[in-house]
Amino acid sequence: MSLNLEDVARIARLARIELSAAERETTRDQLNGILGFIEQLQAVDTAGIEPMAHAVDVVQRLRPDTVTETDRRADFQALAPETEAGLYLVPRVVE
Amino acid sequence: MNWEVVIGLETHAQLRTKSKIFSGSSIAFGAEPNVQASAVDIALPGVLPVLNREAVVCAIKFGLAVGAQIAPRSIFARKNYFYPDLPKGYQISQFEIPVVLGGGLTIRVGAGDTATEKFVHLTRAHLEEDAGKSLHEDFHGRTGIDLNRAGTPLLEIVTEPEMRSSAEAVAYAKALHALVQWIGICDGNMQEGSFRCDANVSVRPLGQKEFGTRREIKNLNSFRFMQQAIDFEVQWQINEIEEGRAIHQATVLFDPDSGETRSMRSKEDAHDYRYFPDPDLLPLEITADWIAQVKSGLPELPQAMKARFEADYGLSPYDAAILTGSRGMAEYFTAAVDVCNQPKLVANWVINEVRRSMSEGASDQEGEPLASEVRDGLPGRDVIRIPAGKLAKLISRITDATISNAGAKKVFIELWTGPDQEVDEVIERMGLKQITDTGAIEALVDEVLAANQKSVEEYRAGKEKAFNALVGQAMKATRGKANPQQVTDLLKKKLGA
């Protein structure tokens, strides 16, 4: 499987990443390089091997249900480009 | 042409934990914007999600309550989409292997004894995180983002497309709403968004096997809106098809003001979520021991309790269904029965007087009394004001003939307005005690007979109505305090009937 320029443009749009024409070509080549590695992996015979969802064969550690976080809004909002009345402001989103 | 309606529901139930599903932030409702949004919730670089054990317990409880399979190993996945109230750019959800598979719910459609039962199968239920909130008004052309809700634990419960009318969809939603509160995993508060439904609706010619193209109505937060939205949508789809237009898969919103559903503007590839297993989260393992432990803590479930009420107390399916409509109502009923051991009388009193008095106070949008608050004690909602023990005592005063049924209703109203009062005290004060002394009643009956010779003669001449007039006179003479049955019996005896 390999991606063409249109596929790359579509993925970039879904991820809201702006790519120039030149960047689209580099990205296509890089992504196809990764897909090439995956093809190598897929060539390995995995019949009878149970698929894993994670590279490490351990299970999820769970957290007790307690509130441990305190209000750090002022710290976080100091990093934000624009805030008002405790809200983060972003370009208008129209549904 | 006859059309068949096909509906499947997806419900988001907010889980009743203290903290978020992947962080230690509080999920308390109504906080100032963004004060309950930690580094994990706002997706600062380098943070890691850690799963809340209690959220998993809620999912296990639900799986057990609907007779589903609980996955020994389930996987969290990233659902990728771009929206400013989703700071990570993906929602952590479950995709290929959800925590709960299958199961189902018995629903009752229709009212009274003509109601029919139906079993609705569930496809799955999975754990996921909620997104934040976008506020589109008042920010000089900008959108305001509040991330307090981001990371709130949700259980998304998905049905098979098995409902065939808006009434069935609403019956299912109500049954599910009652169940999640019953097992204590969700507070069920629809105004605050703790329980929201999406309805997938399609129509097909009756008898056709293939489903029609569906449209999804998003975010129905009341049962009434659900009914209206589905009814409108069904009619709209039928009209479109009958006028020769095809239905296109779409997401629509219901506008309660116009009563219409409207398509949301969405790009054709907006639903390409590119799911993949979240590398930040390891597989969730649920052992048989853990399931058994959760099971031992579950309360008796509504269906089992309903069957028990029918079998042990001889209640009708309809009455038993009402009494098990919420855990609060059921607990109230059982508590009263435990005291006075009069299940049928208690059932009548709870179903009629108690529910009527409650619906005169606060009620949800359906006019259904909010009985769960007996347990919750949540502020701002109405409760059953008379403790179960007092209702039981009142009922035992009917069965021991201290007061008449009519008198008991007066006591009930008085107690409802002043629940601190004692039953016997109110009976005494309102002068409702029945005269049970046979001698006293006999004397009164003799007086009535002497004073109403005309009626006596008419009765002897065969006029049944005259007898009723005599009973009326006798009751009047006792100012309603005599037991009507006793008066009737005495009169009959005296008249040699």
Side-chain angles (χ1 to χ4, degrees):
Chain A
M1 180 192 173
S2 69
L3 301 172
N4 58 31
L5 285 175
E6 251 173 57
D7 297 328
V8 173
R10 184 166 160 275
I11 295 166
R13 190 171 68 244
L14 286 170
R16 301 301 192 278
I17 295 170
E18 191 180 350
L19 295 179
S20 65
E23 285 170 326
R24 273 211 285 278
E25 292 198 8
T26 344
T27 309
R28 178 199 55 193
D29 295 344
Q30 287 171 346
L31 288 176
N32 282 335
I34 294 169
L35 290 173
F37 291 133
I38 291 170
E39 264 165 31
Q40 281 184 39
L41 290 173
Q42 280 181 330
V44 178
D45 180 13
T46 54
I49 299 173
E50 201 158 317
M52 294 170 74
H54 203 277
V56 204
D57 191 16
V58 283
V59 296
Q60 181 63 40
R61 188 172 67 88
L62 300 173
R63 178 176 64 77
D65 180 29
T66 45
V67 174
T68 51
E69 295 288 344
T70 51
D71 171 20
R72 295 183 59 200
R73 183 175 78 180
D75 294 341
F76 296 150
Q77 294 206 333
L79 309 170
E82 215 180 335
T83 60
E84 188 178 314
L87 298 160
Y88 295 92
L89 295 192
V90 297
R92 187 172 187 115
V93 190
V94 183
E95 187 68 58
Chain B
M1 183 177 307
N2 284 324
W3 296 92
E4 184 175 47
V5 178
V6 176
I7 305 164
L9 287 184
E10 293 172 18
T11 306
H12 288 91
Q14 182 181 316
L15 299 177
R16 222 173 150 180
T17 57
K18 296 184 192 74
S19 64
K20 293 190 177 176
I21 186 166
F22 297 118
S23 84
S25 302
S26 169
I27 61 163
F29 183 81
E32 284 283 298
N34 290 309
V35 299
Q36 292 173 177
S38 71
V40 171
D41 311 321
I42 68 171
L44 289 188
V47 295
L48 275 177
V50 187
L51 183 56
N52 184 340
R53 186 184 163 87
E54 191 55 31
V56 181
V57 169
C58 289
I60 298 173
K61 281 183 182 170
F62 180 76
L64 288 168
V66 297
Q69 206 183 316
I70 293 158
R73 210 176 160 87
S74 63
I75 307 295
F76 285 93
R78 292 186 179 180
K79 178 181 178 177
N80 297 279
Y81 68 96
F82 185 87
Y83 207 76
D85 58 25
L86 186 77
K88 291 194 297 296
Y90 58 86
Q91 177 193 26
I92 304 177
S93 181
Q94 296 192 298
F95 185 57
E96 284 163 309
I97 312 175
V99 62
V100 173
L101 264 173
L105 230 67
T106 301
I107 62 169
R108 285 180 70 81
V109 192
D113 292 324
T114 57
T116 52
E117 287 199 345
K118 173 168 178 160
F119 190 79
V120 176
H121 291 86
L122 299 181
T123 314
R124 58 187 274 158
H126 63 255
L127 286 165
E128 63 181 28
E129 60 178 344
D130 208 345
K133 274 185 185 162
S134 298
L135 302 150
H136 299 289
E137 305 86 26
D138 297 338
F139 298 101
H140 27 87
R142 318 284 280 165
T143 293
I145 305 291
D146 176 6
L147 297 173
N148 280 349
R149 203 181 61 182
T152 297
L154 302 176
L155 189 66
E156 179 173 340
I157 302 152
V158 184
T159 72
E160 291 290 306
E162 290 183 343
M163 284 151 285
R164 293 291 174 263
S165 65
S166 59
E168 284 186 12
V170 169
Y172 162 79
K174 282 185 175 176
L176 181 66
H177 186 242
L179 181 67
V180 293
Q181 292 178 81
W182 188 289
I183 58 175
I185 65 167
C186 173
D187 70 17
N189 190 327
M190 298 178 82
Q191 284 81 12
E192 291 176 6
S194 301
F195 187 89
R196 347 187 256 270
C197 297
D198 304 336
N200 284 297
V201 180
S202 64
V203 297
R204 62 180 171 189
L206 196 63
Q208 179 183 303
K209 264 198 160 160
E210 301 76 35
F211 290 130
T213 304
R214 66 170 196 260
R215 304 212 309 165
E216 182 180 18
I217 314 170
K218 278 274 183 200
N219 269 332
L220 295 164
N221 63 357
S222 96
F223 299 127
R224 181 176 299 160
F225 291 165
M226 176 182 289
Q227 177 115 34
Q228 289 173 0
I230 293 173
D231 287 343
F232 178 87
E233 177 66 22
V234 165
Q235 203 47 57
W236 183 86
Q237 289 188 14
I238 291 172
N239 288 347
E240 287 291 295
I241 298 171
E242 288 185 340
E243 285 170 25
R245 287 187 289 269
I247 304 293
H248 300 285
Q249 193 163 340
T251 301
V252 303
L253 284 177
F254 176 66
D255 178 357
D257 295 328
S258 66
E260 297 180 356
T261 51
R262 263 205 315 262
S263 184
M264 288 161 76
R265 274 200 303 157
S266 50
K267 296 204 176 83
E268 77 272 18
D269 54 9
H271 286 287
D272 187 349
Y273 292 127
R274 295 150 290 144
Y275 281 99
F276 63 89
D278 190 332
D280 286 346
L281 287 154
L282 295 156
L284 167 63
E285 189 183 65
I286 300 175
T287 61
D289 280 354
W290 192 9
I291 296 173
Q293 188 199 327
V294 173
K295 191 173 189 174
S296 68
L298 267 187
E300 184 181 11
L301 296 170
Q303 277 299 316
M305 197 180 267
K306 176 174 171 284
R308 183 164 63 84
F309 287 175
E310 289 173 36
D312 293 3
Y313 299 152
L315 301 183
S316 72
Y318 175 66
D319 287 356
I322 292 180
L323 293 171
T324 52
S326 77
R327 189 163 156 198
M329 189 74 86
E331 281 174 353
Y332 183 82
F333 169 73
T334 13
V337 171
D338 284 348
V339 176
C340 69
N341 202 24
Q342 295 286 341
K344 283 202 171 172
L345 270 177
V346 175
N348 285 339
W349 276 80
V350 172
I351 289 167
N352 298 308
E353 304 307 318
V354 171
R355 286 171 75 242
R356 175 159 57 236
S357 301
M358 289 176 75
S359 59
E360 280 165 7
S363 60
D364 71 9
Q365 298 129 318
E366 283 298 288
E368 280 290 315
L370 295 162
S372 54
E373 297 71 39
V374 178
R375 178 168 44 93
D376 296 345
L378 294 175
R381 293 165 148 198
D382 201 16
V383 295
I384 300 181
R385 296 184 55 117
I386 301 177
K390 276 186 187 166
L391 180 72
K393 177 126 191 208
L394 179 60
I395 287 166
S396 58
R397 287 291 173 261
I398 305 171
T399 49
D400 71 11
T402 305
I403 48 173
S404 65
N405 209 48
K409 285 185 183 169
K410 290 179 189 158
V411 177
F412 182 87
I413 292 165
E414 179 63 20
L415 283 173
W416 193 271
T417 50
D420 291 338
Q421 307 174 86
E422 290 306 321
V423 172
D424 287 341
E425 205 180 276
V426 174
I427 294 172
E428 195 67 42
R429 198 180 65 236
M430 295 178 80
L432 292 168
K433 218 168 186 166
Q434 295 188 119
I435 307 166
T436 45
D437 174 359
T438 319
I441 298 176
E442 212 167 336
L444 277 169
V445 165
D446 286 339
E447 276 174 36
V448 168
L449 287 176
N452 294 280
Q453 276 303 319
K454 195 166 160 252
S455 296
V456 173
E457 276 159 29
E458 279 175 9
Y459 173 71
R460 293 216 160 106
K463 275 180 83 177
E464 282 292 326
K465 268 191 187 163
F467 183 75
N468 294 338
L470 286 169
V471 174
Q473 286 298 324
M475 289 306 293
K476 200 173 160 194
T478 65
R479 280 177 295 152
K481 289 185 194 174
N483 182 323
Q485 193 54 49
Q486 206 176 357
V487 169
T488 307
D489 291 348
L490 264 175
L491 269 173
K492 279 190 176 159
K493 202 174 93 188
K494 298 259 171 195
L495 291 168

